[in-house]
Amino acid sequence: SGLQMVEMSYFSQLKIDSENKKKSYCCVVKMDEPVSREELKKLDAIEDLEILQKTPIRVLHRRTLMTREKMIHAARTEYINPKWFYLHLLSSAGAYIKEFVHSDLGRTSPNVGEILGKRADIMQLDVTDLYEDDGTDDDTNEKFRQVYADYRNIIP
């Protein structure tokens, strides 16, 4: 059946390995109030933002109630119209991205709504890439920034 016994140390290493990963996401965000391109620059300025996340309500039935420190390494926005935009994120693995956007009733801080000073909600979330952060000179944050650097020149 493919099942096998493993040592407890296997799980310790698995946890360490998962902490060395970064994920990038694309979110479709809807605002309750209009937001300007200028205001979105607050999100574009994110660089290694530490967030505190209490276990989200949606997973509380299967996860331990605790506060986790996670990192939003970089963010890039694409303006769609005054109430909608794309949010591209690079984060530490394990970050709850939906909750970073809508705050989960204040259980994630800071969050997109706090940063913009307006209520935000997430309509769609896609994982776009998974990165190994193996400590080499390969700078994942810089790669992410380069990929999304030209959006304001491409999207009207």
Side-chain angles (χ1 to χ4, degrees), residues 92-124:
S92 55
Y96 293 106
I97 300 304
K98 291 177 182 178
E99 288 71 15
F100 172 66
V101 174
H102 65 60
S103 91
D104 197 29
L105 301 173
R107 298 168 66 84
T108 292
S109 185
N111 57 68
V112 170
E114 282 179 12
I115 293 167
L116 296 177
K118 301 174 183 188
R119 191 168 173 274
D121 203 358
I122 187 163
M123 301 283 110
Q124 183 174 330

Side-chain angles (χ1 to χ4, degrees), residues 2 13 18 26-28 42 46 67-68 74 77 79-80 83 88 99 105 115 130 135 142 144-148 152 154:
Q13 187 60 46
S18 72
C26 180
C27 314
V28 177
K42 294 175 187 175
I46 289 175
T67 300
R68 295 166 178 83
T77 59
Y79 181 88
I80 299 172
K83 289 197 174 185
H88 301 274
E99 288 71 15
L105 301 173
I115 293 167
L130 177 64
E142 188 55 36
F144 177 86
R145 286 185 191 88
Q146 288 173 1
V147 167
Y148 296 107
R152 276 161 295 294
I154 298 168

